Amino acid sequence: PAAPPVEAVQDDGEPPAKLDGGALATVRSVEVIVKDTPEGSAPIAHVELETSLPFVEGQCVSVLPPGNDEKGNPHKKRRLYTVASERGSQLALCVREVGVTSNFLHTIPKGSQLHLEGPMGKSMVLPADPKAGLVLIGTSTGAATFRGFLRRLYPANAAPTAGRGPIVVILGGATREAIPYVEEFEQAQERLGPGRFRLELALGGARVDDGSETTLPDKIKGLSLIAKEIMDRGGHTYVSGLRGMLK
């Protein structure tokens, strides 16, 4: 049976807390949006789920794969995934194909059901002040959080809201094609203009896939004055992605 329609989360107040007992989700689609590349970037899929679980941008949910581990025992370790959609819509996850649970989500058939736990997290949700500028820095599936932000602040089918603070997005990857949702961010920059939304790509690096060596530090250094101006005016910086990406 289909999951009940998702309920819109109110704009004010705290982000939703973890739901007791979690919730079921039905798989609507699984689409590989970043293919395996010679540069070593693991495939990344966009997984859309129908569920009644409430959430806001920047939160996470957890998934437990079915079956047994290598010792023959049922899986017990849940895997966290960042929400890649905006509140009031159906839940989307950005899944990098690394590990048992992620491999499972890459191959799960449409119509299958999952049990989710969550939502979790408060530190990565949007600031309460809509006029606050944002500096968003990420690699790999870290772009999922910022996709949710973008869709919340500037819906694709609505006229840009006046009074929003400027947004600067800096995304790292081996190549442009290795960055999930890169086309959405490029389209947003074209639609909104650099005064509202600016996208910068930090491409290349010796070990981009595990986040240990990227060109992000150099790109951030080149944009430091712009970032400082946003922060001095009450803006916020968010960092989301692979561990070690700013070394």
Side-chain angles (χ1 to χ4, degrees):
V6 66
E7 295 183 4
V9 177
Q10 297 299 317
D11 290 340
D12 53 355
E14 291 290 311
K18 185 176 180 181
L19 188 67
D20 288 342
L24 287 176
T26 302
V27 178
R28 300 179 68 190
S29 64
V30 178
E31 178 187 2
V32 175
I33 56 175
V34 173
K35 298 180 180 179
D36 196 4
T37 68
E39 293 81 8
S41 296
I44 296 174
H46 177 76
V47 181
E48 291 195 352
L49 305 171
E50 187 175 355
T51 181
S52 60
L53 194 76
F55 64 88
V56 297
E57 313 76 27
Q59 291 192 297
C60 300
V61 300
S62 70
V63 177
L64 182 69
N68 300 327
D69 59 22
E70 64 277 3
K71 296 181 180 180
N73 300 316
H75 288 291
K76 295 181 179 180
K77 187 175 182 179
R78 305 188 70 90
R79 177 77 181 267
L80 284 173
Y81 294 98
T82 302
V83 170
S85 48
E86 71 280 19
R87 70 189 75 180
S89 69
Q90 292 299 335
L91 177 65
L93 306 178
C94 187
V95 181
R96 183 168 169 258
E97 195 177 16
V98 176
V100 174
T101 310
S102 297
N103 292 339
F104 161 67
L105 289 175
H106 268 247
T107 58
I108 190 170
K110 179 180 178 181
S112 300
Q113 286 200 324
L114 296 170
H115 181 265
L116 304 177
E117 287 194 359
M120 290 162 274
K122 296 182 180 181
S123 62
M124 289 291 289
V125 300
L126 282 166
D129 182 6
K131 297 180 180 179
L134 302 175
V135 179
L136 311 177
I137 303 168
T139 60
S140 189
T141 55
T145 300
F146 307 150
R147 178 183 187 263
F149 286 0
L150 174 61
R151 286 174 162 247
R152 172 62 182 171
L153 296 174
Y154 290 110
N157 297 324
T161 303
R164 296 284 191 195
I167 302 174
V168 175
V169 181
I170 309 172
L171 297 176
T175 63
R176 172 189 172 277
E177 291 72 23
I179 300 174
Y181 311 117
V182 66
E183 291 186 357
E184 287 194 39
F185 292 112
E186 290 172 340
Q187 291 167 3
Q189 179 171 242
E190 181 177 352
R191 179 169 64 96
L192 301 173
R196 285 195 176 100
F197 186 93
R198 177 171 177 173
L199 173 66
E200 294 285 343
L201 302 183
L203 304 180
R207 297 182 62 189
V208 177
D209 194 44
D210 66 3
S212 61
E213 295 179 26
T214 72
T215 60
L216 271 173
D218 291 336
K219 181 65 71 171
I220 294 169
K221 183 178 180 180
L223 295 167
S224 59
L225 292 179
I226 296 174
K228 183 178 184 302
E229 182 178 355
I230 291 175
M231 297 301 294
D232 287 346
R233 294 183 177 181
H236 301 261
T237 296
Y238 294 77
V239 178
S240 180
L242 300 172
R243 182 176 298 176
M245 67 183 184
L246 297 182
K247 291 182 179 178

